[in-house]
Amino acid sequence: MNSLFKDACTSSVADGPSLHEIQQTAKRLDGLIVETPVWRWQSGIVEQVLKPSTRVWLKLELFQHTGSFKLRGAMNCVASLDAPALRQGVAAASAGNHAIAVAYAAHSVGTHARLAMPRHASPVRIAACKAHAAEVHLTDTVHEAFALARRWVDEEGRTMVHPFDGPQIAQGTATVGLELMRQVPQLDAVVVPVGGGGLIGGIAAAVKQINPDCIVLGVEPFGADAMYRSFHAGHTQTLERVATIADSLGAPYTLPYSFSLCQRYVDAIVRVSDDELARAMHWLFRDMKLVAEPAAAAATAALFGPLKAQLDGMRVGLLVCGTNIDAPRFAEHVERGAALNSEPQMAE
């Protein structure tokens, strides 16, 4: 299906976590994270527009501690620190979900977190970080946030916990795939939202080592499609600007490690519009009663959008990755989605 992408770069590809390493990571994280549930989606839009033979399961990672999958990678990084590193503390830069995860992980193991967050970050997410005893510094841009976090590493000896890149992040996110493949054996396809690639890279490594025939597909917003562009270019890409309601998927670039994992294990990346994300948020709320942030609706948007013809009739797992959104913004997006879903073209 995606041989062009697979052939683009076969050298210098990260081996990624082995299945044994993923299993060992799951044991290490046992008791520190939640094994999130899977729920079969059988009502509403699934009945209305998909073939009766289609089976759809939602991996509900929004029920994770801190409200997103980010805790898996952050906890794996922080819990592996030795005593001197724990005394120095950790640093991170993030617009929200990763920052919350690092704050929670640091507090859990008794170390201190300094977090650089852009001022446009949701107040709900900033408050969640402070609730876990993290020290939060606000910057004008995401780029300034990363520069500040790196300065803390250089000047204070803190350990940087990256939001999406590196072996420990991939080991942590891979445990999502390990759980899913045990919870729903013999899936035909797994669909995963893509920001920087750390989530899908880890999940795909687990899925493909357990069942090489299972298709792994990534989803990005049109306004934040660095991984899509990287796949087509055959090397990492940087975006000039990011513009999407899915702020959790707004990574402005790809990095070598996570990109190489995606090249090795991911079959294709597709893109969805903000309108499609809003529609999917509405379906998840209406049919499944889930409060999903825009990023968490990306896999659903792809199933009923660019992937519908390809996946209809298959056994499909969709990752619902997070729920950290304030009530007014959630209502705004769901109302937008409801209005779009009531238009004539959705009457099928």
Side-chain angles (χ1 to χ4, degrees), residues 23-53:
Q23 293 165 337
Q24 291 302 114
T25 301
K27 290 180 180 178
R28 183 165 56 252
L29 295 179
D30 185 32
L32 299 174
I33 64 168
V34 172
E35 178 174 316
T36 53
V38 170
W39 192 257
R40 172 96 180 274
W41 192 349
Q42 302 179 68
S43 60
I45 190 67
V46 168
E47 289 182 303
Q48 294 164 17
V49 307
L50 299 180
K51 295 176 182 176
S53 58

Side-chain angles (χ1 to χ4, degrees), residues 28-97:
R28 183 165 56 252
L29 295 179
D30 185 32
L32 299 174
I33 64 168
V34 172
E35 178 174 316
T36 53
V38 170
W39 192 257
R40 172 96 180 274
W41 192 349
Q42 302 179 68
S43 60
I45 190 67
V46 168
E47 289 182 303
Q48 294 164 17
V49 307
L50 299 180
K51 295 176 182 176
S53 58
T54 309
R55 300 290 185 269
V56 180
W57 285 268
L58 302 177
K59 176 61 169 166
L60 299 174
E61 195 63 15
L62 79 172
F63 292 150
Q64 185 57 257
H65 292 312
T66 75
S68 85
F69 76 92
K70 287 287 190 179
L71 183 62
R72 294 176 185 260
M75 185 65 80
N76 193 42
C77 291
V78 174
S80 68
L81 297 177
D82 59 20
L86 289 172
R87 285 194 294 270
Q88 297 298 112
V90 298
S94 166
N97 284 337

